[in-house]
Amino acid sequence: MPAMTPDSLEPSSERLRELVSKALDRLLPFLESLPEQRAGDFESGAELARSLAEPAPESGMDYDELLDHLFERALPQAYNTASPGYMAFIPGGGILHSAVADLIADAVNRYVTVFVAAPGMVQLEVNVVRWFCEQIGMPQGSGGLLTTGGSMANFIGVVTARREKLPENFLGGTIYVSDQVHHCVTKAAVLAGFPPARVRRVPSDDRFRMRVEPLKEMISADRSAGLTPFLLVASSGTTNTGAIDPLMELADLAQRENLWYHVDAAYGGFFRLTERCRPKLEGIERADSVVLDPHKALFLPYGMGSLLVRDPGALGRAHSVTSDYMPPYQEDPDLVDFCAISPELSRGNRGLRAWLPLKLLGFETFRAALDEKLDLTAFALAAVRAMEHVRIVAEPELSLFAFRMEPPGVTDEDLDDLNQAWMDATNRPGRVMLTGTSLEGRFALRICILSFRTHLDRIEMAIEDLRSAAAEVLV
């Protein structure tokens, strides 16, 4: 047998300690310097990507050189989603407790997709799912699973609704979404086999919420045309504006029309932890299925979504397929085989990255953090509203609002360019990163305050940079 080398597939305890220690030696300075790092790098990455293209390595190389390669070349040019100044899109989390949990999960390498393979670790993940159900008010007996994110959770939700509500020849089914819905819902419908034309986009009101009367008319027209309305998708915190559809009214309509009621609450759902947002989210507990993204408002790292369902049996009816080489699935409803309720057979141990921080810190810690984000949003809103020639296009329901500059004497055709220039000038110093969108057919800036690292000092920087940039572009 050949002698073991330091970089063999089974490193010694000393070598493993060295690998982790040297990684920490790079990570700690990175994390400590986050307040001084740019919130985003906006240069084209094509040149960098081409310079990093490389052949497959036949022999190993020095670990320190690899860490240099990562931290000095591959990592710096990016949207700095770990920065306290990152207020673009919907910020992800990245709490370090989950990184520790991932290290443990990857090292012990338990197979959690089949219950009998790791019953203890499976149960910890089941606990997390049930905690999520409780926190949004779903009834006892609800269940679900953790996913890679909201896109996969919405896809599983659409497939489950299709299997529950439609026959095998399902192409006559129609789906109803707001014109503000996240594009992954439409993508999920297409991947689930529906022509794009079967996804009905319902117009939104002046607060960017789904309008109920046009929805009723669409459902009635589709039934008259011989189609089968089966799925209503409400949004609870849209990406464009943070809008929350009228959840209770839509729940009533879905019940009357025998529609599967699905709520995409990837961004907004966990705000139900706070007292002030709970009334805004009333009705979410009546959904047949709900999407929540812990990597958004629970601040966990990217790659963490969830789908919650009122009837867990529906997931099994949509996804359960077995084979001779598979062990028998659990018949006890309290014991879960994740492979029987999702598309995945091989998957990582996602549960630990939520279970460890939640057990270590408690939901109260996350509730307090969300309350802080709501306070910061109110502060930022008042400051932006007070700026000359600025109009708030979308008032915040949660921690996101949209706005644009509309000075007199500037034509409609030039206003979009002016606001794009305002955003670019705001981002240029690198202390914050904002993104824009199109609302009412016009370009608007967005600010989304959701990073656990974002505090009052960074919001004050954002306001300073917005004011300075406004003076620059209005010259």
Side-chain angles (χ1 to χ4, degrees):
M1 177 180 293
M4 299 288 280
T5 65
D7 290 346
S8 70
L9 296 178
E10 186 69 270
S12 66
S13 298
E14 292 76 15
R15 178 58 171 164
L16 179 58
R17 188 178 298 275
E18 179 188 18
L19 293 173
V20 175
S21 178
K22 285 188 173 183
L24 276 176
D25 287 344
R26 304 299 182 102
L27 283 169
L28 292 177
F30 169 83
L31 296 168
E32 291 164 357
S33 66
L34 275 173
E36 289 74 49
Q37 294 177 28
R38 292 183 59 83
D41 189 321
F42 309 102
E43 298 299 321
S44 170
E47 183 177 347
L48 172 66
R50 292 189 181 99
S51 74
L52 293 175
E54 55 191 352
E58 182 62 30
S59 302
M61 64 180 291
D62 180 74
Y63 183 47
D64 290 305
E65 291 182 25
L66 289 174
L67 290 175
D68 287 343
H69 190 71
L70 278 174
F71 282 88
E72 296 174 13
R73 296 200 60 208
L75 283 172
Q77 187 172 338
Y79 291 173
N80 195 351
T81 52
S83 166
Y86 186 81
M87 304 174 202
F89 304 107
I90 306 290
I95 57 173
L96 300 176
H97 315 73
S98 291
V100 174
D102 283 349
L103 174 61
I104 296 170
D106 290 348
V108 300
N109 199 34
R110 291 291 184 262
Y111 185 74
V112 296
T113 316
V114 177
F115 176 83
V116 297
M121 299 307 291
V122 169
Q123 186 59 47
L124 296 188
E125 187 163 332
V126 170
N127 292 348
V128 169
V129 171
R130 289 176 180 166
W131 296 341
F132 291 173
C133 291
E134 291 169 7
Q135 295 300 326
I136 66 165
M138 294 187 78
Q140 187 174 3
S142 301
L145 68 154
L146 303 180
T147 68
T148 55
S151 295
M152 180 56 73
N154 275 305
F155 172 66
I156 296 171
V158 170
V159 169
T160 302
R162 188 197 78 195
R163 292 292 295 269
E164 288 293 288
K165 292 293 187 179
L166 295 176
E168 288 190 7
N169 183 3
F170 56 79
L171 293 181
T174 50
I175 301 167
Y176 304 88
V177 304
S178 160
D179 59 13
Q180 298 295 306
V181 75
H182 195 282
H183 75 278
C184 78
V185 175
T186 303
K187 184 175 182 179
V190 172
L191 291 176
F194 293 95
R198 289 290 186 258
V199 181
R200 306 291 194 242
R201 294 176 63 84
V202 183
S204 55
D205 62 17
D206 58 358
R207 292 171 59 186
F208 304 100
R209 305 172 305 174
M210 184 186 291
R211 293 171 55 197
V212 177
E213 289 307 314
L215 169 61
K216 292 178 181 177
E217 294 170 4
M218 288 180 177
I219 293 171
S220 177
D222 283 337
R223 290 200 192 281
S224 297
L227 299 173
T228 307
F230 81 101
L231 173 59
L232 172 58
V233 180
S235 298
S236 181
T238 61
T239 296
N240 260 354
T241 67
I244 300 172
D245 288 334
L247 301 177
M248 189 64 78
E249 197 173 355
L250 293 175
D252 291 338
L253 178 61
Q255 186 173 15
R256 288 196 304 271
E257 295 286 349
N258 191 31
L259 307 178
W260 182 278
Y261 185 37
H262 177 80
V263 178
D264 180 6
Y267 161 45
F270 280 116
F271 278 92
R272 197 179 182 279
L273 293 172
T274 68
E275 290 291 336
R276 72 185 100 172
C277 287
R278 193 166 297 133
K280 297 180 180 182
L281 296 167
E282 186 178 3
I284 194 173
E285 73 282 354
R286 294 179 59 190
D288 294 295
S289 52
V290 178
V291 170
L292 300 174
D293 269 5
H295 68 209
K296 292 186 173 74
L298 274 193
F299 316 113
L300 271 59
Y302 287 119
M304 187 69 166
S306 65
L307 176 69
L308 313 179
V309 291
R310 176 175 295 272
D311 174 14
L315 290 172
R317 290 188 290 273
H319 296 92
S320 183
V321 177
T322 190
S323 184
D324 292 340
Y325 48 77
M326 294 292 291
Y329 292 155
Q330 305 306 305
E331 297 182 2
D332 187 330
D334 291 332
L335 307 179
V336 178
D337 293 292
F338 287 117
C339 67
I341 62 172
S342 81
E344 296 178 295
L345 182 58
S346 296
R347 46 154 288 187
N349 184 350
R350 299 183 188 116
L352 203 61
R353 62 164 41 188
W355 180 88
L356 182 64
L358 287 171
K359 289 287 287 186
L360 189 64
L361 304 173
F363 274 100
E364 63 183 5
T365 302
F366 296 88
R367 180 178 296 109
L370 290 174
D371 271 320
E372 182 203 22
K373 304 314 159 197
L374 295 171
D375 291 340
L376 294 175
T377 302
F379 178 89
L381 175 70
V384 172
R385 196 192 301 277
M387 294 180 186
E388 192 174 12
H389 308 312
V390 172
R391 178 170 69 93
I392 305 301
V393 181
E395 299 280 345
E397 292 280 0
L398 302 167
S399 67
L400 188 166
F401 63 93
F403 55 97
R404 63 190 260 115
M405 188 190 301
E406 297 177 343
V410 181
T411 65
D412 288 343
E413 291 74 17
D414 292 333
L415 278 176
D416 281 357
D417 292 339
L418 176 69
N419 279 277
Q420 178 73 59
W422 185 26
M423 187 185 76
D424 293 344
T426 300
N427 288 338
R428 194 173 300 124
R431 299 198 298 177
V432 299
M433 178 177 171
L434 309 183
T435 46
T437 189
S438 178
L439 295 172
E440 302 170 340
R442 296 295 182 184
F443 182 86
L445 287 74
R446 302 164 59 263
I447 183 168
C448 185
I449 302 168
L450 198 60
S451 170
F452 67 98
R453 293 189 174 103
T454 302
H455 305 297
L456 181 60
D457 61 334
R458 191 62 56 152
I459 301 303
E460 290 173 336
M461 292 181 195
I463 300 305
E464 289 174 4
D465 290 349
L466 279 164
R467 288 174 176 152
S468 298
E472 175 185 330
V473 301
L474 285 173
V475 172

